[in-house]
Amino acid sequence: MKKEIILVLGPQGSGKSTQAKLLADYLDYKFISTGELVRRESKNGTELAKKIQFYQLKGELVPDDIIEKMLFDEMNKSEHFGFLIDGFPRNKNQLKDFLEFLKINDYSLVKVFYLDVSLNECLNRIKLRREIENRPDESEEAVKKRLDIYFSETAPLLEAYKDLGVLVRIDGERTIEEIQDELQDIMNEYLEEVRRNNYE
Ligand code: AMP
């Protein structure tokens, strides 16, 4: 059976990481956040860390080859049957490379959940988060840059997921529990269908 991939996508502040982590726990899939990989690596004091920080602190995307190597290595060393990926792909080139990687390694992209949250709501949530967490890459400038990149480079990928028949739009302006329940229901339905097809 092919290993399964789920993506969770939405602007910064949409709650995608929270939802992705909960869903990964529920399904026993491995959760991988490329943002977390970047934050982890950038603390290492290596040449690579310095290079990464240069982009990260400005809210710009780390070059595709660097982020792809980090993610693909992480996936290759895991024994999990399923993966929940947060923060990747962020642009057209990453999507192209990702689909190729999935094909070569026999992974199947089964769902892409898009958390639909208005820009205003995202900005409010980021402001609150900044007061609590004080992340160095969440300066006002960096947040603005990341949102700009999200809308110009990442959001247009939705069309491709729609064409692949894997896109599910989720109303992200509800409680964490309500959203998570819907995600779990959709996955249960999907897994039920896969099981039925396997028996037929
Ligand atoms: P995030 O927490 O997902 O917003 O990611 C934090 C930072 O890590 C981003 O602002 C980028 O600098 C970097 N990063 C995370 N994912 C990617 C990606 N797919 N491509 C390039 N850079 C990324």
Side-chain angles (χ1 to χ4, degrees):
M1 224 149 89
K2 284 189 172 188
K3 289 186 267 187
E4 297 188 336
I5 308 284
I6 300 172
L7 304 180
V8 180
L9 156 112
Q12 279 74 39
S14 62
K16 68 184 162 59
S17 300
T18 306
Q19 293 298 339
K21 270 184 210 156
L22 288 169
L23 189 61
D25 274 353
Y26 177 74
L27 296 169
D28 199 20
Y29 284 12
K30 185 171 172 61
F31 168 76
I32 304 179
S33 147
T34 49
E36 276 180 17
L37 292 181
V38 162
R39 281 188 285 282
R40 198 170 73 194
E41 183 62 43
S42 75
K43 288 189 192 122
N44 278 346
T46 57
E47 274 307 304
L48 177 64
K50 270 187 231 150
K51 199 164 174 191
I52 283 178
Q53 271 175 13
F54 173 79
Y55 299 98
Q56 182 203 5
L57 294 178
K58 287 195 291 188
E60 284 179 12
L61 293 184
V62 169
D64 295 344
D65 55 339
I66 296 181
I67 199 83
E68 286 172 11
K69 180 163 178 4
M70 289 167 78
L71 173 66
F72 299 165
D73 283 353
E74 191 76 12
M75 289 173 75
N76 282 333
K77 73 178 185 213
S78 169
E79 297 286 310
H80 279 75
F81 166 73
F83 293 84
L84 232 148
I85 296 171
D86 164 22
F88 187 93
R90 292 273 242 272
N91 60 30
K92 252 193 193 151
N93 186 50
Q94 289 182 9
L95 177 62
K96 180 177 95 11
D97 292 344
F98 188 53
L99 293 177
E100 219 169 276
F101 172 82
L102 298 188
K103 205 165 150 188
I104 292 169
N105 293 284
D106 220 19
Y107 289 100
S108 165
L109 179 61
V110 296
K111 293 276 176 225
V112 177
F113 292 114
Y114 170 60
L115 286 188
D116 201 355
V117 176
S118 73
L119 180 57
N120 254 347
E121 178 63 22
C122 286
L123 289 171
N124 284 338
R125 292 183 188 177
I126 293 169
K127 217 163 126 191
L128 274 178
R129 186 162 78 187
R130 196 186 293 136
E131 282 159 19
I132 300 166
E133 291 181 12
N134 202 12
R135 256 168 54 178
D137 62 345
E138 294 226 316
S139 68
E140 216 165 318
E141 269 308 294
V143 165
K144 194 176 167 299
K145 184 85 202 165
R146 278 155 74 196
L147 280 168
D148 277 353
I149 294 175
Y150 173 80
F151 285 107
S152 62
E153 297 193 42
T154 310
L157 304 181
L158 288 174
E159 275 306 307
Y161 300 129
K162 206 158 97 188
D163 291 346
L164 290 169
V166 290
L167 181 66
V168 186
R169 234 170 234 273
I170 304 284
D171 173 3
E173 296 200 12
R174 294 175 294 163
T175 66
I176 292 177
E177 291 76 20
E178 281 169 331
I179 297 169
Q180 185 57 209
D181 280 351
E182 186 178 358
L183 296 178
Q184 293 182 4
D185 285 349
I186 293 170
M187 282 315 295
N188 283 332
E189 214 170 283
Y190 164 79
L191 293 169
E192 203 39 52
E193 196 185 308
V194 170
R195 228 167 278 144
R196 247 198 328 268
N197 289 341
N198 282 343
Y199 278 123
E200 275 167 13

